[in-house]
Amino acid sequence: MTDEKFMREALRIARNAEGCTSPNPLVGAVIVKDGKIIAEGWHRQAGTPHAEIHALNMAGDLSRGATLYVTLEPCSHFGRTPPCTQAIINAGISRVVAAMSDPNPKVAGHGFELLRAAGIAVEVGLLEAEARRLNEVFLKWITRRLPFVTMKFACTLDGKIATVAGESQWISSEESRRFTHHLRDINDAILVGVGTVLADNPSLTTRLVEGKNPVRVIVDSNARTPLESKVVADKSARTIVAVTANAPPDKVRALKLRGVEVITAGNFERVDLTALMHALAEREITSVLVEGGGTIHFSMLRARLVDKVLAFIAPKLIGGSRALSAVGGEGFAKLSDAVELNDITTTTLGADILISGYVKEA
C-alpha cells in the first residue's frame, strides 16, 4: 500500500505539465528514503530535463540507497536530452518502481535492462492502468503514428447545436465554455470543417491568460476558407488547411501566400481524414480536439478516427426538425453501425452536464 501511495503521488504531479510536453509523454518521479518523500520532479517540456533528473537534482546525495517511483520507464538513449538510466545509476538509487514500460522503440524495456544490470532492483506494473490513461495521447501517437482525437460539442437536451435560425451563442454555460478553453490549451490542434469557418468566423484560440493556442486545422476540400477569416488573418496561431488534389490551385496559392500551411489529403471530392490524421502525426501533432460542426463530427466518427467524446448537455429544449444536430451528415442506417461509448463519466459544469466516454473499438 505504501508503494501505491508514492506512485499515486508521481501520477498526480505528472499532470502538472498537461498540454506542455508534446510530443513527449507526461512523467512524474518521486524519490523516497526511510518511508518519506525527499524529492519530486516532473517533465515540463520537450527538450528539457526529464522527471527523474529534476527529482535527482533535488535529492542530491540523499538519492543513494533510495527508491525511485516513476510513471514511465526511464529513457536509455540520447535524444534531446541525455539518458536518465545512467543518471539514476550514478546517483546510487537502489530500487526503481515503474508504472509501465515505454513503448517507444528507442526504449522498450532497454532502460529496465540497464538498471538491473547495474544491480538496481526494478519492479514494473504498479498502477499501470492509471499510467496508461495518463499518457493515452502519447501511447497512441508513438505506437500507431496517429494523433489522439477528442470530439467535443455543446448541445441542448434535444441534441441541437443551434436554433433553426442558426443561433448558437451561447448554448452552454460559462463554466463549460471555460473548460473548453482548457481543452484547447492542452491539445496540440483544434479541427473544424470549413462550414464552421464560413458560418461563425471563429478564432479557435485559447482565452486563458497563460494558455497556449492550438494549431488550427480546417478541413476544406475546395480551399474555400476566406483570406479575411480570423484563422487566416489574425496570425495568433499556426493554421493548416486540408484540401483535396482537386482544390483550385489559385486559392491554394493564395492561402500559402498568407502563411497558411496547406495539406493535400485525398484525390476525390472530400478530404481523406485518415490521411490527414497521419499527416498531422508526422508533424508531431499528437492530439486533436474536434469542435464541429455536425458534418465533420459524423465524418470523423464514420472513419473511426475518434477516441474520446465530450458532450456538454445544456438543460434547454429548442426543437426544430431543420435545426442543426451535434452529429449530422448522412447518419448510420443501422443501429449495429452506431458508435458506442464506454468508460462513461458524468459531471456538472454550471447548469450543464458533461458526459465523457471513450469510443468502443469496433
Side-chain angles (χ1 to χ4, degrees):
M1 194 63 183
T2 300
D3 282 346
E4 183 176 318
K5 179 182 74 171
F6 295 133
M7 184 60 76
R8 289 199 183 280
E9 174 64 7
L11 290 165
R12 185 190 69 80
I13 63 174
R15 289 196 178 276
N16 287 340
E18 189 175 23
C20 299
T21 63
S22 179
N24 287 358
L26 293 165
V27 182
V30 172
I31 298 176
V32 174
K33 195 168 188 178
D34 299 325
K36 296 180 180 180
I37 295 175
I38 60 172
E40 295 184 340
W42 59 91
H43 184 41
R44 288 165 168 76
Q45 186 177 7
T48 65
H50 291 181
E52 301 93 319
I53 304 303
H54 284 298
L56 290 170
N57 288 341
M58 179 183 291
D61 292 339
L62 292 176
S63 294
R64 192 158 302 278
T67 296
L68 169 67
Y69 296 85
V70 63
T71 57
L72 188 69
E73 177 181 4
C75 67
S76 55
H77 65 290
F78 280 91
R80 299 179 187 180
T81 59
C84 293
T85 47
Q86 193 58 53
I88 293 168
I89 293 168
N90 293 344
I93 291 289
S94 62
R95 178 176 174 242
V96 171
V97 180
M100 62 176 291
S101 60
D102 188 342
N104 186 340
K106 295 178 180 179
V107 186
H110 187 54
F112 294 143
E113 291 175 4
L114 292 175
L115 294 175
R116 289 185 175 114
I120 297 174
V122 177
E123 300 170 27
V124 185
L126 180 63
L127 300 183
E128 181 173 356
E130 289 88 339
R132 296 186 71 84
R133 181 57 56 87
L134 170 73
N135 273 312
E136 58 192 7
V137 169
F138 171 74
L139 293 177
K140 184 181 180 186
W141 178 75
I142 201 68
T143 59
R144 297 176 57 189
R145 286 303 173 187
L146 284 168
F148 186 92
V149 177
T150 301
M151 190 176 81
K152 169 263 168 189
F153 57 82
C155 66
T156 60
L157 199 57
D158 51 345
K160 306 299 184 181
I161 58 174
T163 68
V164 69
E167 184 181 346
S168 61
Q169 295 182 339
W170 296 101
I171 284 177
S172 59
S173 67
E174 182 179 344
E175 292 84 351
S176 293
R177 298 196 296 274
R178 190 180 304 120
F179 187 71
T180 292
H181 288 293
H182 166 69
L183 292 173
R184 292 181 180 183
D185 175 45
I186 65 174
N187 278 272
D188 291 345
I190 180 172
L191 181 147
V192 300
V194 67
T196 296
V197 174
L198 294 172
D200 302 331
N201 191 23
S203 297
L204 303 180
T205 53
T206 302
R207 309 292 198 275
L208 303 180
V209 175
E210 297 183 357
K212 63 174 178 57
N213 290 328
V215 177
R216 301 176 292 199
V217 180
I218 315 302
V219 178
D220 182 6
S221 299
N222 296 306
R224 294 187 295 147
T225 300
L227 300 182
E228 65 275 13
S229 62
K230 292 177 183 177
V231 295
V232 174
D234 67 14
K235 309 301 181 186
S236 59
R238 174 182 167 196
T239 297
I240 295 173
V241 173
V243 302
T244 68
N246 295 325
D250 58 329
K251 291 187 176 182
V252 171
R253 185 164 50 252
L255 286 169
K256 289 181 177 179
L257 287 173
R258 300 304 196 281
V260 172
E261 181 180 357
V262 178
I263 294 176
T264 301
N267 299 317
F268 302 103
E269 293 181 1
R270 296 179 180 176
V271 168
D272 183 331
L273 294 172
T274 301
L276 173 59
M277 292 301 110
H278 281 291
L280 295 178
E282 289 173 2
R283 289 160 173 77
E284 294 193 340
I285 292 175
T286 65
S287 57
V288 174
L289 179 67
V290 179
E291 280 203 27
T295 300
I296 197 70
H297 286 168
F298 176 71
S299 296
M300 291 290 291
L301 289 168
R302 180 174 55 186
R304 295 290 175 176
L305 293 170
V306 178
D307 298 288
K308 187 176 184 179
V309 175
L310 297 175
F312 297 79
I313 313 297
K316 301 172 183 177
L317 298 165
I318 60 176
S321 60
R322 292 186 293 112
L324 296 175
S325 298
V327 180
E330 301 166 12
F332 295 111
K334 299 178 181 178
L335 277 175
S336 58
D337 293 332
V339 175
E340 294 186 56
L341 304 181
N342 55 22
D343 294 338
I344 304 296
T345 60
T346 61
T347 187
T348 56
L349 289 166
D352 300 341
I353 297 174
L354 170 59
I355 299 177
S356 171
Y358 291 84
V359 173
K360 187 176 181 180
E361 293 187 9

